[in-house]
Each structure stands twice: as structure tokens, then as C-alpha cells.
Amino acid sequence: MTPGDASPAFWSAPATFLRRLWQSVAFRLALGYGASVLLFMMVLLSVLYVQTIGVLQGRIDRQLVSASHRLVGHFEAQGRQRLVDEITETLTDGLNRDTEGYLLATPGGRRIAGNITPSPALLQPSPDITDQMLLRDGRPSFSRIHVERLSDGSILVVGRDMQDQQSLEQLISHALAAAGGVALLLAVIGAIVFRDQLERRVGDIRRTAARIEAGDLSQRIPVSGRDDEFARLSHDINLMLDRIEILMDGVRHVSNTIAHNLRTPLSRIRAKLDVVNRPGADLAQVSQAAAFAIREIEELTLVFDKLLQIAEAESGARRQAFQPVSLNDIVSDVVELYEPVAEERQVRVSTELAEEAIAPGDKDLLASAVANLIDNAIKYAGSPARVSVRTVQTPEAVSVVVQDNGPGIAPAERSKVGTRFFRLNRRVPGYGLGLASVTAIAHLHHATFELDDAGPGLIARLTLPRFGPA
């Protein structure tokens, strides 16, 4: 029978089978389990890849730095000619001839010794080890190099050809791709093979779901003694249905986090009080310990107040009290409040206010958010320290923008700064609640909170819907 003679039912049968297969919860669960195993394997192999390549590159970097320091030592101790002789001896000793590269050049770019052809890109000293394409013995070579400027102005370049490293990276990459393909194929085949067995286990879940839908929320899925996929799934669904246990787990998690982050100040208070509780403590020591304990307790009180504020903002309890608020007034008041702190830390704070910046919101919460942004900017400002605070309006929105010239935040870390107790630099005082509070307040106001690179520094932008007609 030719394709033209085939009936529509003949061609629709495979499509129907595939559609029913995909509609099967058991198939999708088994496929998902296989995919999770595949993901775990790929993550494990990726870590292995990164660690392997990282170790090799780290060893090469240490060799480059060591060789550079050795040659610089010869130069400083015995002069340029000794350095030239050392480079020549190294290149002619027959060891690592295919990979090593050296160059000693004048500040103008004339080669004095070595097997690397000078180029403008090579004559730029840098504390970092970089990768460059260069000419080594007249042949192109992708190398990792370390460049130093000597005391007489000449340039010393120490390099290592990376062809072997690239070959190893390609080999590992191909192995990862092959392993991923095989694992994916096994995941699909395994999902099809176990589909019938898994579908027999879904009946308990369906019956329990029907009883819960009828209103009996005390029902739970029977869990077999087997430690298989459906036993774990049934256990997870039971946990989800058990609301009290979920709430208790949430409270326990928050309590553990608070205990972990507040243990240090409480330990400091205890240690201070233990010292003055010993026999022989004089009145001055007792007074000093009491003052210290009061300061620490006040800081803990601020932490709990901040946590309560975050919880209140996340719950949305104050949304009904929103009124038109002038962001210009809030910025002016907060900047005035922080002027003594900025002056003490020698931080220059400048403001730039839009003609009109009105947004619906809670004035106290918005003021707290702006204060947290300014406080954070003052803490991390560079030298000379500068912080700018401005309001910006568009036809649809108004924003408060706080910018500093500090170290900024790496893109990979920006998604974490809104997490309670997350701190990038633990040498800076704080508990990691400021930006978490800003995030919660922004969510309450249907606003957006963004962090961008200022190059150098950080730009924090709180954007709210504009009040009234555009």
C-alpha cells in the first residue's frame, strides 16, 4: 500500500498514540523524574568540567607568576643582561619548548630577547593574567600571558600556549554532549516502559483528590512502604494538604534564620555581662557593660521592627491606607535626616528632584524604603564618596533613583540581595534586612525595584505607578 492509498485512520493512529501518551500523567511524571536525573547528571558533569579546567588553569597561572617573579628577581639582582641570558637559556634548554613563550622589550616595542613578537596589545602591563592571540616563534599561538613593567621601563612578558588546554576542553565538552544525549534517550525510553506501572499507582491519588474535592480535607493519600517515585509524590502531596504542618515548617524556618543571624549579638551581650559578673568588677566596668548591652539590645529591637515591617508589607495589610504621596518631600526629608551621617563619613550627597513626583502609597513605608537605599549607598560609597538621590517622572510612572560610586553588586548576586539576612560584605555593619525591606515595600505598592551597574557604583531604582492623569 502506498502512502497515497493509506486511509486517514492509518496516519492518525501514531498521532493519537503520541497524544494519549503525553496526556498520561504517569508518563509525564516518569519523564519528569528522568529529566531530573538528567539535570542532576549534567550539573555534576558540569561541576567536574569547571573544576578540572579551573585546576589546570590555576596551575598554569601559578607557573606564569612564579616564572615572572623569578626573572624579575634576576633583573633586580644582576641587571638586564642577566635577564636576557636567563630568557635565552630557558628557551634553549629543551623543556616545554612547544608551549613556553618569553619577551623582553623596550618601552617603544623593540624586542630585546624572547620568542614572542612584540605588539601594542602585549605592551600593556596588567596585574591580571590574560588570554591573547600572539605570534610565538613566528606562528600564531593562543596563549595565557603575564605582563610586567620593569624598573627601567622595559616590558617583560611570560606566556604559555593554551592549545593543549583547548583540546582538553573540547574533549570534555564532547563527552558531556554525548552523555547528555544518551541520558535523554534513556529517560524517554524509561518513561514509556514504566508508564503502565505508574498509571496503576495513580488511582489512589485520584480517589483521594475526589474525596478532598467533596469537602473532606482530612483525607490523605495512602503511602506504601516502598521508597519509589509515587511514594515520595504521595508524601509530598500529603505535606501540601497538611496546612498546619506547612505553617509550622514556615515558622520553624524563620525562627532558625533569626536565631542563626542574631546569635552573635546575643553572644556578645552574654560575654560582656559574664565579665562584669565576676568578683572584682568595678562600677566603671559594670556601667560600660550595661551601656554595651543596651546598644546591642536596641540594635536587636531595630532588627525585629524591620522584620515586622517586612511581614506587614508582604501581607498587604496597609494597602487600603494608600494616599497620594510626594516623593520629592520624602527624598528631601530623608536626605536631611542622613546629612549628619554623611558628613561624619565624608560622603557628599546630592539631590535632583523632578518638577512633580506623586504616587499612591504609604508615606511611612516609602520613606523607610528610601532611607534604606540611602543608608546602603552611604555605607558602600567609594573614595571620594559620592551619593546622588533623584526623582524621575514619566507619563506612566515616577521613580526614586539612588546612585553611589562604590564597588557595586555583581549581576549574579543582585537577585539575592532582596533575601532576608543576605549580606554581600560582612565587614560592613548591618543584618541584611534593608534591601529585603525595600523589596517587600515595592511589592506592596505594585512597584518595581531594580539594581543596575553605575560603572563604578550601583544604581538602585524604585519605580511606582504615577498618581492621577499622565
Side-chain angles (χ1 to χ4, degrees):
M1 181 175 63
T2 64
D5 298 332
S7 65
F10 175 83
W11 294 106
S12 64
T16 302
F17 171 75
L18 292 176
R19 183 169 59 253
R20 291 181 58 190
L21 191 65
W22 180 249
Q23 289 175 348
S24 169
V25 175
F27 172 79
R28 294 202 302 271
L29 287 174
L31 187 61
Y33 181 74
S36 65
V37 174
L38 172 63
L39 178 61
F40 172 77
M41 187 192 71
M42 294 305 296
V43 170
L44 185 62
L45 292 176
S46 298
V47 171
L48 176 63
Y49 170 80
V50 171
Q51 290 294 329
T52 302
I53 299 303
V55 168
L56 292 176
Q57 182 169 306
R59 185 177 66 180
I60 291 174
D61 290 351
R62 288 191 296 271
Q63 291 174 349
L64 291 176
V65 173
S66 176
S68 179
H69 288 172
R70 177 174 57 84
L71 293 175
V72 171
H74 286 308
F75 169 78
E76 292 177 348
Q78 303 179 42
R80 176 187 287 185
Q81 187 57 46
R82 180 67 182 92
L83 176 58
V84 171
D85 294 341
E86 182 68 20
I87 292 176
T88 303
E89 292 175 7
T90 302
L91 292 175
T92 56
D93 61 6
L95 299 175
N96 300 321
R97 176 62 182 171
D98 295 334
T99 58
E100 63 186 2
Y102 295 92
L103 171 64
L104 177 63
T106 65
R110 183 177 62 83
R111 179 166 57 187
I112 302 173
N115 61 343
I116 298 176
T117 302
S119 67
L122 284 174
L123 304 179
Q124 300 296 328
S126 171
D128 300 323
I129 297 177
T130 60
D131 295 323
Q132 287 196 29
M133 180 63 70
L134 48 82
L135 290 177
R136 187 176 58 85
D137 291 326
R139 296 189 302 271
S141 171
F142 181 76
S143 301
R144 196 157 177 83
I145 64 171
H146 182 260
V147 185
E148 283 197 32
R149 184 183 298 277
L150 303 179
S151 59
D152 64 350
S154 56
I155 305 298
L156 174 64
V157 180
V158 180
R160 169 72 181 268
D161 184 83
M162 300 297 289
Q163 181 62 42
D164 294 343
Q165 178 94 351
Q166 289 180 324
S167 299
L168 179 60
E169 290 181 14
Q170 291 177 357
L171 178 63
I172 297 178
S173 298
H174 293 161
L176 287 175
V182 172
L184 180 61
L185 180 62
L186 292 177
V188 174
I189 294 176
I192 295 175
V193 169
F194 291 107
R195 171 175 172 266
D196 292 338
Q197 299 182 25
L198 296 177
E199 282 188 337
R200 287 196 296 268
R201 303 285 301 278
V202 80
D204 289 340
I205 297 178
R206 294 183 61 189
R207 287 189 292 272
T208 302
R211 290 193 290 268
I212 292 174
E213 184 182 3
D216 187 2
L217 298 179
S218 64
Q219 291 293 321
R220 294 294 181 268
I221 301 172
V223 180
S224 66
R226 302 175 183 176
D227 186 21
D228 57 16
E229 292 85 352
F230 261 84
R232 291 193 290 272
L233 176 64
S234 300
H235 179 68
D236 291 341
I237 293 177
N238 288 341
L239 289 178
M240 181 177 62
L241 295 174
D242 192 351
R243 302 190 179 203
I244 296 177
E245 186 170 343
I246 290 176
L247 291 176
M248 290 301 296
D249 287 341
V251 171
R252 189 180 301 113
H253 172 71
V254 173
S255 300
N256 290 339
T257 304
I258 293 175
H260 176 75
N261 286 274
L262 302 186
R263 185 181 295 116
T264 299
L266 291 176
S267 298
R268 289 199 301 263
I269 295 174
R270 171 66 183 272
K272 202 75 173 179
L273 294 179
D274 282 343
V275 170
V276 299
N277 194 39
R278 298 170 184 171
D282 57 29
L283 184 60
Q285 290 178 318
V286 173
S287 177
Q288 182 183 9
F292 175 82
I294 291 173
R295 288 195 304 270
E296 292 289 334
I297 292 173
E298 287 177 347
E299 288 189 11
L300 292 179
T301 302
L302 292 176
V303 170
F304 283 110
D305 288 342
K306 187 70 68 175
L307 287 171
L308 291 174
Q309 184 187 71
I310 293 173
E312 186 179 27
E314 290 179 341
S315 69
R318 298 177 64 167
R319 184 174 288 136
Q320 65 273 15
F322 281 2
Q323 299 291 333
V325 176
S326 171
L327 297 184
N328 289 345
D329 293 344
I330 290 177
V331 167
S332 298
D333 293 343
V334 175
V335 169
E336 182 179 356
L337 177 66
Y338 273 87
E339 279 182 353
V341 178
E343 183 176 357
E344 180 183 355
R345 299 186 180 184
Q346 297 181 345
V347 179
R348 184 168 65 87
V349 180
S350 61
T351 59
E352 181 181 344
L353 304 179
E355 181 179 355
E356 181 178 309
I358 306 296
D362 185 293
K363 184 175 182 180
D364 294 336
L365 290 179
L366 291 176
S368 176
V370 174
N372 282 318
L373 294 179
I374 294 177
D375 180 74
N376 193 69
I378 291 176
K379 286 180 180 178
Y380 292 94
S383 179
R386 297 188 304 272
V387 173
S388 69
V389 186
R390 62 183 186 274
T391 57
V392 180
Q393 64 173 341
T394 66
E396 296 82 18
V398 292
S399 303
V400 177
V401 181
V402 180
Q403 179 176 343
D404 63 68
N405 63 338
I409 300 176
E413 302 288 346
R414 291 175 191 168
S415 61
K416 303 177 184 178
V417 296
T419 305
R420 292 179 181 90
F421 299 107
F422 178 80
R423 297 169 61 193
L424 284 170
N425 187 352
R426 296 192 174 272
R427 292 190 299 269
V428 178
Y431 288 91
L433 294 174
L435 294 185
S437 174
V438 176
T439 301
I441 293 172
H443 179 75
L444 175 68
H445 287 78
H446 301 296
T448 59
F449 175 49
E450 301 171 317
L451 299 175
D452 296 315
D453 186 20
L458 183 71
I459 299 176
R461 182 180 291 104
L462 180 64
T463 303
L464 299 95
R466 184 173 177 177
F467 176 78

